[in-house]
Amino acid sequence: MAVVKTSQILIEAIREMPGVFAIVDKDLAIISQSKEWDSALLLAFTGTSGESGKIRLKFDLAFEKAVMGEHAYFVEDLPHKQTRYKYKFRRIDENPCLILIQQVLLTRPKDYRKELLLQETNKVADIGFWEFNILTGKIFWSEVTRKIHEVPEDFVPNLETGVSFYKEGEDRERISEAVQKGMQTGESWEGDYTIITHTGKERHVNARGKAEFEDGKCVRLVGTFQDITERVNRSLKLKSSEEQFRLAFDNSPIGFLILGVEEFQILRTNEAFQKLIKYDDEQLKTKKLTDFFTSKDFNRYAAKFQNLIEAKIPKIEGEYFFQDSFGEILTCSLFASVIYDANNRAKELIVQIQDVTELKKKREEVDRFVEVTTDQNTRLINFAHIVSHNLRSHTSNISMLLNFLKAEEDEGEREIQLDMLNQASDMLNETIDHLNEVVSVDIDVKDKEELDLHSYVNNTERSLRGLIVNANFKVYNHVPEGFKVYAVPAYIESILLNLFTNAIKYRDCNRKSWLQISAESKQGYSILSVSDNGSGIDLDRYGDRVFGLYKTFHKHSDARGLGLYMTQSQIQVMGGSIDVKSKVGEGTTFIIKLHEKD
């Protein structure tokens, strides 16, 4: 008699069996199916988009396990139909590979609504629930419970694995003891525990449970499960913060006070404040912060602290004056803020006070030293500039005149050029004399003098005569004779030399070049206007850098970017200002304002 395979019998029988069954091969071709099997199911499982894509992943995983000989399943939740199905997979033949697929209705609409309501309620509260049926040995974990344990969808818990999630040691021993005691006596349990999740994370949970009895025999354990990790961590952080604050409060070299919001009474102080104010802890218990306000500042300080309590200002910080037990006035750096209660009402004030009396004195001394150093540094920079730039202008001019003199054969012209050389030599000597003023340690307002600007313009022109003649350049001195400016001689000479040499250096060689200078008195200022018709400056491009150090705006071999920087520096040292107006191809005008008197 021939032996018939079990799979062959099943293929024939399944067509008449009640329920939803199908037998497929490894390529998902249907070999046999029950009358209730929906031929569209496999098509739904093999979709790739949206919800179908998620079901496909579950289906593929379970099917692959069945092909390998394992029993597998997955659950399909259909909220729109309020039903839930379970699909089981089992290999019934290895060669050829045949898989039996069964659809089982897990939850009907009526039960689904009740279950859904319970699940949603627990989700909102973030509380999971569980049930252990002692008779069947099966454990049910709700979605939240499974989420807390971080288990995969196909994880099947049992009592032993459920307990094994609890951290080894005290936590596992406590839960095991509580469960055993509950099963024996019916006593419910509740406690906070630490578990290690399926992915290896440590979490803090609150676990509750109770035993249910029938005919005096324990048949079921039920309970809830809640993740309290965040709450525990907050508590630990709060405890740590409180400990850190206590250590900082007690050991800080800065004075700390905690005040009541009523009348600013002192509730607690640290040793640093007690030393600062020269009272001991017992004496301070009867004091208020206002007891240490100076009489002159009392109302202003009290109003400030009241505004802090009423949340009109977020904090108080700055320098305040306090008086110690001996009446000595202290300059203190103060910071105050509010501590609020659970109802967001002002509970206490925390105040930090540090004596900065000596520090303030030292700071003032440093500021004075920096001011003197900065001033001296500025003078040294000006000195270096005058040596490198102004003296070079003089020597270049003298060199130019000497060259003219060598080439000149007419005795009358030679006399004129010798006279120019004498004038240039005198101007050089005057500049050298002024250098002593520039580096003088005590240079100040007293070193300013009333200077005849008209004469200084003429002297500048004479000192640059050789350069002016060589460049075929013209200078127009429109400054009224006798017009006075209040300035440092070396600086006004340097400023004029810079502006004159710049006008010559950056002239437009395609036209007759000139420079003109005028001056007027207006609203307590001497206002100088120096204009030329040279190459001009593109102010749209360079406007914010005209007076910058080492900034150049033309491709000239002698351009160094120092002249205008030094000019502005010297004017500012004298308390004045300089502005510029310019247009490319048309020329430049500098407007200088100097105080008529300081």
Side-chain angles (χ1 to χ4, degrees):
M1 180 177 178
V3 178
V4 180
K5 281 188 176 182
T6 302
S7 59
Q8 187 61 41
I9 297 173
L10 193 56
I11 288 172
E12 297 297 329
I14 203 171
R15 295 188 178 97
E16 303 299 328
M17 287 175 61
V20 184
F21 296 92
I23 296 176
V24 300
D25 63 16
K26 63 179 182 179
D27 297 320
L28 292 177
I30 294 180
I31 306 301
S32 180
Q33 65 185 48
S34 67
K35 293 178 181 179
E36 296 180 38
W37 178 267
D38 185 350
S39 59
L41 274 176
L42 287 179
L43 184 61
F45 291 149
T46 55
T48 57
S49 61
E51 291 300 318
S52 297
K54 295 179 181 178
I55 293 296
R56 171 68 182 272
L57 292 174
K58 294 181 179 181
F59 179 88
D60 287 347
L61 180 61
F63 189 78
E64 287 173 10
K65 286 183 177 180
V67 170
M68 299 301 294
E70 299 180 38
H71 288 6
Y73 76 92
F74 75 87
V75 175
E76 181 187 22
D77 201 2
L78 302 173
H80 60 290
K81 293 183 179 180
Q82 296 192 339
T83 54
R84 184 178 292 113
Y85 291 97
K86 182 175 184 179
Y87 295 90
K88 299 180 179 180
F89 298 78
R90 181 166 63 90
R91 191 176 72 186
I92 60 172
D93 207 338
E94 184 177 359
N95 189 20
C97 181
L98 297 178
I99 307 297
L100 173 65
I101 304 175
Q102 180 185 6
Q103 182 193 59
V104 180
L105 179 63
L106 281 183
T107 310
R108 291 176 172 82
K110 185 178 179 180
D111 296 330
Y112 188 93
R113 285 192 290 272
K114 291 180 181 178
E115 186 179 316
L116 186 63
L117 179 61
L118 179 61
Q119 288 180 350
E120 290 303 316
T121 301
N122 281 278
K123 282 182 183 179
V124 171
D126 204 23
I127 298 174
F129 59 90
W130 55 271
E131 178 182 336
F132 173 49
N133 189 318
I134 295 177
L135 299 178
T136 64
K138 292 184 178 180
I139 288 182
F140 170 77
W141 280 359
S142 71
E143 184 180 343
V144 173
T145 302
R146 298 178 72 88
K147 179 182 175 183
I148 294 172
H149 284 85
E150 294 186 316
V151 294
E153 291 186 2
D154 61 348
F155 180 82
V156 180
N158 56 46
L159 186 61
E160 184 180 346
T161 58
V163 171
S164 69
F165 278 98
Y166 288 80
K167 190 173 183 179
E168 189 175 2
E170 180 187 351
D171 289 274
R172 191 178 297 179
E173 290 171 4
R174 281 198 299 126
I175 193 63
S176 298
E177 184 180 334
V179 171
Q180 290 298 325
K181 188 174 182 180
M183 293 172 65
Q184 294 169 5
T185 67
E187 183 179 339
S188 61
W189 67 89
E190 186 270 331
D192 294 341
Y193 302 88
T194 301
I195 68 167
I196 307 299
T197 70
H198 184 78
T199 62
K201 295 178 184 175
E202 186 172 284
R203 283 187 173 173
H204 302 284
V205 298
N206 176 264
R208 298 168 183 256
K210 70 174 184 176
E212 294 183 354
F213 291 80
E214 292 181 5
D215 299 327
K217 185 179 180 181
C218 181
V219 296
R220 188 181 296 105
L221 298 176
V222 296
T224 60
F225 208 70
Q226 184 177 18
D227 186 349
I228 59 169
T229 304
E230 188 175 343
R231 187 180 76 195
V232 171
N233 287 341
R234 278 202 307 266
S235 178
L236 291 173
K237 286 180 181 178
L238 179 61
K239 185 175 180 181
S240 175
S241 296
E242 289 174 346
E243 178 64 16
Q244 290 174 5
F245 174 77
R246 186 190 66 78
L247 290 171
F249 187 95
D250 292 339
N251 301 306
S252 173
I254 299 174
F256 272 91
L257 305 87
I258 295 179
L259 309 176
V261 295
E262 299 294 333
E263 300 183 346
F264 314 123
Q265 67 273 24
I266 294 177
L267 304 178
R268 184 180 169 193
T269 65
N270 68 349
E271 187 177 345
F273 179 75
Q274 295 162 21
K275 289 181 178 179
L276 169 70
I277 217 71
K278 300 177 182 67
Y279 278 110
D280 61 33
D281 188 41
E282 285 300 317
Q283 291 172 316
L284 286 170
K285 288 179 180 178
T286 62
K287 298 291 183 180
K288 304 173 184 177
L289 181 66
T290 51
D291 293 336
F292 307 110
F293 292 170
T294 61
S295 57
K296 181 179 69 173
D297 299 308
F298 185 91
N299 292 333
R300 182 165 60 90
Y301 289 1
K304 195 105 175 185
F305 274 85
Q306 191 60 41
N307 286 339
L308 178 63
I309 291 174
E310 295 173 3
K312 293 179 180 178
I313 55 176
K315 60 186 177 182
I316 299 175
E317 62 180 331
E319 287 189 355
Y320 287 76
F321 297 106
F322 288 85
Q323 53 187 4
D324 63 16
S325 62
F326 297 104
E328 183 181 352
I329 304 300
L330 307 173
T331 302
C332 297
S333 173
L334 178 143
F335 181 89
S337 57
V338 179
I339 300 173
Y340 294 94
D341 62 17
N343 297 316
N344 205 33
R345 290 177 299 197
K347 178 184 176 183
E348 294 172 340
L349 293 175
I350 183 165
V351 183
Q352 303 171 46
I353 297 179
Q354 183 177 18
D355 184 4
V356 295
T357 306
E358 292 301 319
L359 181 63
K360 187 175 182 181
K361 290 178 182 177
K362 296 294 183 184
R363 191 168 59 219
E364 289 172 352
E365 290 177 6
V366 170
D367 288 344
R368 285 194 297 270
F369 175 75
V370 169
E371 184 179 351
V372 170
T373 304
T374 301
D375 183 61
Q376 182 65 8
N377 187 54
T378 300
R379 289 194 298 273
L380 290 173
I381 292 173
N382 282 319
F383 173 81
H385 175 72
I386 290 172
V387 169
S388 65
H389 182 272
N390 296 12
L391 292 185
R392 186 173 62 180
S393 296
H394 286 301
T395 56
S396 296
N397 185 56
I398 291 172
S399 177
M400 189 85 64
L401 291 173
L402 284 171
N403 288 333
F404 289 160
L405 184 62
K406 289 178 182 178
E408 185 60 58
E409 297 179 357
D410 184 272
E411 285 301 322
E413 286 297 323
R414 288 174 65 85
E415 287 294 328
I416 295 173
Q417 290 170 2
L418 282 171
D419 183 53
M420 290 182 184
L421 273 171
N422 285 329
Q423 292 177 10
S425 176
D426 291 341
M427 293 299 299
L428 175 60
N429 288 331
E430 188 174 344
T431 297
I432 292 171
D433 290 340
H434 289 161
L435 286 176
N436 184 56
E437 300 175 22
V438 177
V439 292
S440 171
V441 174
D442 299 320
I443 188 169
D444 205 341
V445 174
K446 66 179 182 294
D447 294 291
K448 293 184 181 181
E449 302 175 16
E450 277 194 343
L451 307 175
D452 186 333
L453 182 60
H454 183 88
S455 298
Y456 266 78
V457 173
N458 285 339
N459 288 341
T460 302
E461 181 182 1
R462 283 195 293 271
S463 69
L464 299 174
R465 178 69 66 187
L467 296 174
I468 291 172
V469 171
N470 187 59
N472 194 24
F473 195 81
K474 184 68 177 176
V475 175
Y476 298 99
N477 185 356
H478 296 316
V479 177
E481 291 188 12
F483 186 88
K484 304 294 185 182
V485 292
Y486 196 59
V488 177
Y491 287 176
I492 201 70
E493 178 186 291
S494 177
I495 291 164
L496 291 174
L497 275 170
N498 272 323
L499 295 179
F500 274 52
T501 54
N502 271 1
I504 296 170
K505 187 185 300 181
Y506 302 116
R507 67 188 183 278
D508 187 338
C509 297
N510 296 320
R511 60 173 178 257
K512 177 69 174 178
S513 299
W514 51 261
L515 176 142
Q516 64 179 19
I517 180 168
S518 59
E520 62 175 334
S521 295
K522 191 174 183 179
Q523 298 179 342
Y525 288 94
S526 298
I527 301 176
L528 287 63
S529 177
V530 183
S531 302
D532 64 52
N533 68 336
S535 301
I537 302 170
D538 186 349
L539 294 182
D540 290 335
R541 185 176 180 183
Y542 303 114
D544 59 340
R545 293 181 283 165
V546 169
F547 299 104
L549 183 60
Y550 303 126
K551 301 300 180 184
T552 59
F553 317 106
H554 303 93
K555 296 179 180 179
H556 195 285
S557 60
D558 290 336
R560 298 292 183 270
L562 283 168
L564 291 180
Y565 170 78
M566 295 307 306
T567 296
Q568 183 188 55
S569 174
Q570 290 162 350
I571 291 171
Q572 288 177 342
V573 166
M574 296 188 293
S577 64
I578 180 170
D579 292 310
V580 60
K581 298 177 182 179
S582 188
K583 186 173 287 189
V584 175
E586 295 185 14
T588 304
T589 297
F590 291 97
I591 308 296
I592 300 169
K593 292 176 67 175
L594 298 172
H595 290 281
E596 289 184 339
K597 290 286 185 179
D598 280 335

